[in-house]
C-alpha cells in the first residue's frame, strides 16, 4: 500500500471533503479520488458512504482510519530516529481519547500532563470507544479515558477504574422541551447523532429497542459543535454528557434540556490502562480526568 494513499485517506476523513483534502495536499481532486479507490481495491471494501454530505465513513472505513493514523504516526517516528542517533529514545505514553470527548479534553490533558514528570511526554490519539478498547487490548495505546453509558457492559478483561458518574441528558431547541413529555415523543422527533461506532449512539439504540420504540436518525453528524447547531435549527434531538451541555449552553443560548422520567441512562467516567502500563502513570492520568469533571 502506498503511503501517499494512506495519508490522503486520513486528510479526506479529517476534513470530510475531497475538495479540502486536495487543496491541503496540493494535488487535484481526481488524484485524491484515485488514491481512495486504490485503498478500497486493496482492502476489497468501500471506505466512504458517498451518498452523504459531508462524507461519512463506513464501518470498514472507521476501522481503517484509526489503524491508518496509528501506522502513519509510527512511520513519522521512524523518520525522526536520525535526529538523536546517540540517545536512547524515551518511550512516549500513548493516550487515547474518544472522539466524543476530544474537543473537551485535548487541550486540558496536554496542559496538565506537562505538570507531572510521569506524563510529560505523551502522544494523544482519538477514535470511537470500541476502537480504543481494541487498541488497549492489543497494547497499541497505554491509557484511555471513557464515558461508558450505564446500559453498556465493560469488557471483563479491561483494567477499568471508575472515577464517578455524570448525568446523560437529552437536548432540544429552546422552547420545544414541552413537546417531549416521554421517551416515545423524543423517539418520534428523531435524533442528531454521531456515525455508527459511537457508544452514546449504541446506548440510546439499545434503550429504545428495549422499550419497543423506533430509533430514527435524522442526521449523522461528526462533531459536537455541528450536532448542536443542527439541534438549534430544530432538525432533531441530541444526547450529551451534562457538562458538555452546560459548556455549550453558555454560548448557544437557544438550547435546553428535555426533562423526562423514563430516561434512566447516566455515564460512568473512568480510565482504562493496558496490561503493561505502570500504575503510577495510570493514577496520574486518572487524577487529571478527575480534576476536569469532578
Amino acid at each position: 500500500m502506498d503511503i501517499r494513499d494512506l495519508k490522503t485517506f486520513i486528510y479526506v476523513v479529517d476534513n470530510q471533503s475531497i475538495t479540502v483534502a486536495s487543496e491541503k495536499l496540493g494535488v487535484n481532486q481526481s488524484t485524491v479520488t484515485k488514491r481512495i479507490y486504490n485503498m478500497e481495491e486493496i482492502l476489497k471494501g468501500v471506505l466512504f458512504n458517498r451518498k452523504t454530505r459531508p462524507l461519512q465513513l463506513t464501518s470498514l472505513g472507521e476501522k481503517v482510519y484509526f489503524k491508518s493514523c496509528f501506522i502513519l504516526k509510527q512511520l513519522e517516528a521512524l523518520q525522526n530516529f536520525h535526529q538523536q542517533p546517540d540517545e536512547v529514545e524515551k518511550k512516549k505514553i500513548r493516550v487515547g481519547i474518544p472522539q466524543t470527548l476530544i474537543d473537551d479534553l485535548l487541550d486540558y490533558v496536554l496542559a496538565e500532563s506537562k505538570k507531572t514528570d510521569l506524563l510529560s511526554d505523551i502522544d494523544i490519539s482519538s477514535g470511537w470507544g470500541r476502537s480504543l478498547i481494541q487498541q488497549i487490548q492489543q497494547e497499541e495505546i497505554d491509557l484511555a479515558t471513557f464515558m461508558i453509558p450505564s446500559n453498556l457492559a465493560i469488557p471483563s478483561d479491561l483494567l477499568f477504574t471508575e472515577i464517578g458518574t455524570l448525568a446523560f441528558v437529552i437536548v432540544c431547541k429552546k422552547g420545544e422541551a414541552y413537546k417531549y413529555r416521554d421517551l416515545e415523543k423524543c423517539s418520534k422527533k428523531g435524533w442528531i447523532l454521531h456515525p455508527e461506532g459511537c457508544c452514546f449512539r449504541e446506548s440510546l439504540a439499545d434503550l429504545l429497542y428495549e422499550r419497543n420504540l423506533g430509533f430514527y436518525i435524522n442526521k449523522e453528524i461528526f462533531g459536537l459543535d455541528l450536532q448542536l447547531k443542527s439541534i438549534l435549527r430544530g432538525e432533531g434531538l441530541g444526547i450529551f454528557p451534562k457538562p458538555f451541555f452546560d459548556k455549550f449552553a453558555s454560548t448557544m443560548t437557544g438550547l435546553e434540556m428535555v426533562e423526562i422520567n423514563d430516561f434512566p441512562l447516566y455515564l460512568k467516567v473512568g480510565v482504562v490502562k493496558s496490561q503493561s502500563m505502570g500504575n503510577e502513570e495510570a493514577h496520574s492520568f486518572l487524577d487529571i480526568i478527575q480534576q476536569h469533571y469532578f
Side-chain angles (χ1 to χ4, degrees):
M1 184 177 292
D2 193 320
I3 191 64
R4 292 175 300 176
D5 296 346
L6 203 67
K7 188 174 182 180
T8 299
F9 169 63
I10 292 171
Y11 267 69
V12 173
V13 176
D14 289 346
N15 294 282
Q16 294 184 288
S17 167
I18 288 174
T19 303
V20 176
S22 69
E23 291 172 354
K24 290 188 175 182
L25 289 166
V27 299
N28 57 45
Q29 292 185 38
S30 61
T31 299
V32 171
T33 303
K34 185 176 185 303
R35 289 176 179 176
I36 298 300
Y37 279 128
N38 288 344
M39 288 190 62
E40 290 181 328
E41 186 174 349
I42 292 170
L43 295 165
K44 296 180 170 37
V46 178
L47 298 174
F48 291 101
N49 180 354
R50 291 172 171 83
K51 296 180 181 179
T52 61
R53 290 292 181 274
L55 285 173
Q56 300 289 354
L57 289 168
T58 62
S59 57
L60 172 65
E62 289 175 9
K63 295 174 184 176
V64 173
Y65 172 69
F66 298 123
K67 186 65 73 175
S68 297
C69 290
F70 177 76
I71 291 169
L72 194 62
K73 284 181 180 177
Q74 295 302 307
L75 285 172
E76 289 171 351
L78 186 62
Q79 289 170 349
N80 293 328
F81 272 8
H82 70 281
Q83 294 177 355
Q84 295 177 316
D86 298 325
E87 295 180 9
V88 176
E89 183 191 22
K90 181 181 178 183
K91 183 178 181 294
K92 283 191 174 184
I93 295 176
R94 301 158 299 177
V95 173
I97 299 178
Q99 287 285 356
T100 46
L101 308 183
I102 195 72
D103 292 338
D104 189 52
L105 276 178
L106 179 60
D107 291 341
Y108 180 80
V109 169
L110 285 172
E112 292 299 313
S113 64
K114 288 180 171 59
K115 298 177 183 179
T116 169
D117 291 338
L118 292 170
L119 299 174
S120 59
D121 193 11
I122 64 172
D123 185 13
I124 293 180
S125 60
S126 65
W128 295 125
R130 295 281 180 202
S131 172
L132 293 179
I133 287 172
Q134 185 180 37
Q135 289 180 66
I136 282 282
Q137 290 168 328
Q138 296 175 354
E139 303 219 0
E140 293 176 354
I141 57 176
D142 304 303
L143 296 165
T145 182
F146 289 101
M147 288 185 179
I148 307 291
S150 52
N151 64 335
L152 296 185
I154 300 170
S156 58
D157 63 328
L158 279 191
L159 299 176
F160 178 79
T161 302
E162 185 174 325
I163 301 171
T165 61
L166 291 175
F168 202 23
V169 298
I170 299 173
V171 176
C172 71
K173 182 179 179 180
K174 194 165 188 177
E176 294 189 353
Y178 73 93
K179 298 179 182 179
Y180 313 114
R181 296 186 299 273
D182 54 39
L183 195 55
E184 183 177 7
K185 294 285 194 307
C186 294
S187 171
K188 288 179 178 178
K189 172 64 177 178
W191 305 93
I192 309 295
L193 299 170
H194 279 105
E196 191 173 352
C198 172
C199 66
F200 292 0
R201 167 178 169 152
E202 181 183 345
S203 167
L204 177 64
D206 285 355
L207 176 63
L208 293 172
Y209 291 144
E210 181 185 307
R211 302 280 181 86
N212 294 316
L213 299 174
F215 180 47
Y216 308 113
I217 301 175
N218 295 352
K219 279 193 172 183
E220 292 183 328
I221 299 178
F222 191 84
L224 297 178
D225 188 61
L226 292 175
Q227 285 183 1
L228 289 165
K229 286 177 180 176
S230 180
I231 294 168
L232 277 171
R233 294 192 293 269
E235 295 172 344
L237 308 180
I239 51 172
F240 302 93
K242 190 172 183 300
F244 289 16
F245 168 76
D246 293 339
K247 177 181 176 180
F248 283 102
S250 63
T251 54
M252 295 182 179
T253 54
L255 299 169
E256 68 177 321
M257 288 190 301
V258 176
E259 297 188 13
I260 55 177
N261 295 324
D262 59 343
F263 186 70
L265 302 182
Y266 60 91
L267 296 167
K268 294 177 281 188
V269 183
V271 166
V272 177
K273 80 177 191 72
S274 67
Q275 295 285 345
S276 61
M277 186 74 258
N279 289 329
E280 288 186 338
E281 291 86 350
H283 283 123
S284 184
F285 181 60
L286 187 145
D287 287 342
I288 290 173
I289 304 304
Q290 187 171 30
Q291 288 169 20
H292 187 61
Y293 288 117
F294 300 97

